[in-house]
Amino acid sequence: DIQMTQSPSSLSASVGDRVTITCRASQRISTYLNWYQQKPGNAPKLLIYAASKLQSGVPARFSGSGSGTDFTFSISSLQPEDFATYYCQQSYTGRTFGQGTKVEIK
Amino acid sequence: QLQLVQSGAEMRKPGSSVNVSCVASGGTFSSYAISWVRQAPGQGLEWLGGINPTFGTANYAQNFQGRVTITADNSTSTAYMELSSLRSEDTAVYYCARDRPYYGGDYYMDVWGKGTTVTVSS
């Protein structure tokens, strides 16, 4: 099975900050990597697919990059509605999620 | 716009089975795969498996092989997930999601059901 390792597991940031989350795959997965946002009590929401493609309707402050084993997700200017948990997910073989990164208010 | 409507909350005893349904409306059900993902209380997301309704072929996560069965009924646009030999650790919210292909080879889950809470307790 492909393992996905996210870091950090949590972070504290202020509105307007730039936030970066990394995700590492245990083997090469090309760009078969997606990012989701989840708020308490809600289903996950797709933000980025194919490592860097912005899902329709998602604000441009969200972005993703990377290929192979190392990936990065960024929020350019954190907004109040962005405080949530973020997950990476690979689709190269089966599906595996990272353990999540909780973004909290500083 | 495709919507996925899941069945209601379930309570089961250890050792029993549960069957959760996911009805697709507002879209073409057989065009895309359906994945099932669960989330235990306070924990992360875990993929159980998925099915391609067009071909009826399912694949499962290694952790759930032999214990989960995913099926689809194209006539009613419904996907089903049955989990057997339940234990307390299976207490979780179970989600279905459309697993959509990107031409470059990636698959992404872009439409999600609201989730079904399954509680396993004696």
Side-chain angles (χ1 to χ4, degrees):
Chain A
D1 285 6
I2 298 175
Q3 307 303 318
M4 306 301 295
T5 304
Q6 273 183 248
S7 62
S9 54
S10 66
L11 64 90
S12 296
S14 301
V15 172
D17 284 354
R18 180 177 184 85
V19 167
T20 298
I21 299 168
T22 63
C23 182
R24 173 164 288 179
S26 60
Q27 65 183 72
R28 296 183 66 84
I29 59 170
S30 184
T31 55
Y32 295 18
L33 191 283
N34 310 309
W35 291 95
Y36 301 85
Q37 176 194 67
Q38 188 180 32
K39 296 181 180 179
N42 290 338
K45 175 186 175 183
L46 176 70
L47 300 179
I48 302 286
Y49 63 95
S52 63
K53 309 297 183 187
L54 191 67
Q55 171 67 346
S56 176
V58 173
R61 64 181 181 272
F62 296 98
S63 65
S65 65
S67 67
T69 59
D70 294 312
F71 301 87
T72 300
F73 170 81
S74 295
I75 308 172
S76 60
S77 177
L78 199 64
Q79 298 302 299
E81 60 269 29
D82 301 337
F83 292 97
T85 300
Y86 295 85
Y87 294 92
C88 63
Q89 174 247 319
Q90 67 83 21
S91 67
Y92 189 80
T93 303
R95 312 285 184 265
T96 316
F97 290 88
Q99 79 275 23
T101 296
K102 186 173 185 179
V103 176
E104 298 175 300
I105 302 172
K106 183 184 282 186
Chain B
Q1 189 79 343
L2 180 72
Q3 287 188 306
L4 299 175
V5 180
Q6 298 185 226
S7 50
E10 303 272 13
M11 289 196 67
R12 290 287 185 273
K13 294 193 181 302
S16 67
S17 300
V18 69
N19 198 322
V20 180
S21 66
C22 172
V23 180
S25 63
T28 306
F29 176 69
S30 59
S31 295
Y32 304 107
I34 296 287
S35 268
W36 287 90
V37 175
R38 77 176 187 181
Q39 186 169 39
Q43 302 301 308
L45 302 170
E46 185 175 28
W47 182 72
L48 287 81
I51 189 165
N52 185 321
T54 300
F55 304 109
T57 52
N59 61 325
Y60 304 112
Q62 200 161 353
N63 287 350
F64 297 96
Q65 286 275 1
R67 213 161 62 92
V68 67
T69 303
I70 297 172
T71 57
D73 182 343
N74 287 328
S75 67
T76 59
S77 299
T78 305
Y80 300 92
M81 187 282 302
E82 182 177 32
L83 188 62
S84 61
S85 302
L86 290 169
R87 33 201 187 239
S88 59
E89 309 89 271
D90 294 316
T91 294
V93 176
Y94 289 76
Y95 295 101
C96 62
R98 180 172 73 174
D99 209 351
R100 186 170 185 169
Y102 175 60
Y103 83 95
D106 184 29
Y107 279 79
Y108 54 90
M109 300 177 203
D110 66 335
V111 179
W112 292 69
K114 292 189 183 301
T116 296
T117 299
V118 175
T119 305
V120 183
S121 174
S122 54

